[in-house]
């Protein structure tokens, strides 16, 4: 998958240093993946949740952080829509972000 953009993750982990290792690991895995459907994601990320509009929520570092991506399965592109703490996630409408 082509993940757009690492900068959003980097900006976040510069503010939340405890998230860096887990976000880097997720990014490496996502870049090497060739997911064609949510079920393929779910096979390797059991805590991932599917949202409308091809969005997926990933729990990062034992659910301390949340990552929402919008996936274009046909082109293999993944757009980072949100990265934040669990508390920040609770304040957004994940279905519309």
């Amino acid at each position: 998958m082509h993940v757009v953009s690492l900068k959003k993750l980097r900006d976040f982990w510069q503010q939340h240093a405890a998230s860096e290792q887990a976000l880097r690991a997720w990014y490496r895995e996502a870049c090497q993946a060739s997911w064609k459907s949510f079920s393929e994601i779910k096979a390797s990320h059991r805590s991932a949740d599917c949202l409308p509009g091809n969005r997926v929520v990933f729990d990062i570092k034992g659910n301390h952080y949340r990552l929402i991506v919008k996936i274009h399965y046909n082109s293999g592109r993944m757009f980072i829509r949100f990265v934040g703490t669990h508390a920040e996630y609770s304040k957004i409408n994940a279905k519309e972000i």
Side-chain angles (χ1 to χ4, degrees):
M1 304 292 296
H2 176 76
V3 181
V4 181
S5 95
L6 177 60
K7 183 182 182 328
K8 284 186 180 182
L9 298 180
R10 186 180 301 122
D11 289 348
F12 184 78
W13 76 53
Q14 287 175 347
Q15 297 295 316
H16 303 273
S19 70
E20 182 175 0
Q21 186 177 12
L23 286 171
R24 283 184 183 272
W26 177 88
Y27 181 79
R28 278 191 303 273
E29 179 185 356
C31 286
Q32 293 174 357
S34 57
W35 296 315
K36 300 293 182 201
S37 67
F38 176 72
S39 61
E40 290 182 10
I41 294 171
K42 191 72 169 173
S44 59
H45 292 274
R46 300 184 83 183
S47 63
D49 292 313
C50 184
L51 298 174
N54 286 334
R55 289 177 178 82
V56 176
V57 179
F58 291 92
D59 293 337
I60 305 294
K61 195 176 181 213
N63 205 21
H64 285 93
Y65 306 102
R66 293 280 179 95
L67 174 66
I68 301 175
V69 298
K70 182 173 177 84
I71 302 176
H72 294 250
Y73 293 103
N74 59 341
S75 67
R77 298 185 76 154
M78 182 181 298
F79 297 87
I80 296 174
R81 305 294 296 173
F82 171 84
V83 60
T85 65
H86 191 78
E88 292 168 337
Y89 174 83
S90 297
K91 296 176 183 176
I92 65 164
N93 184 343
K95 294 177 181 178
E96 294 181 3
I97 199 158

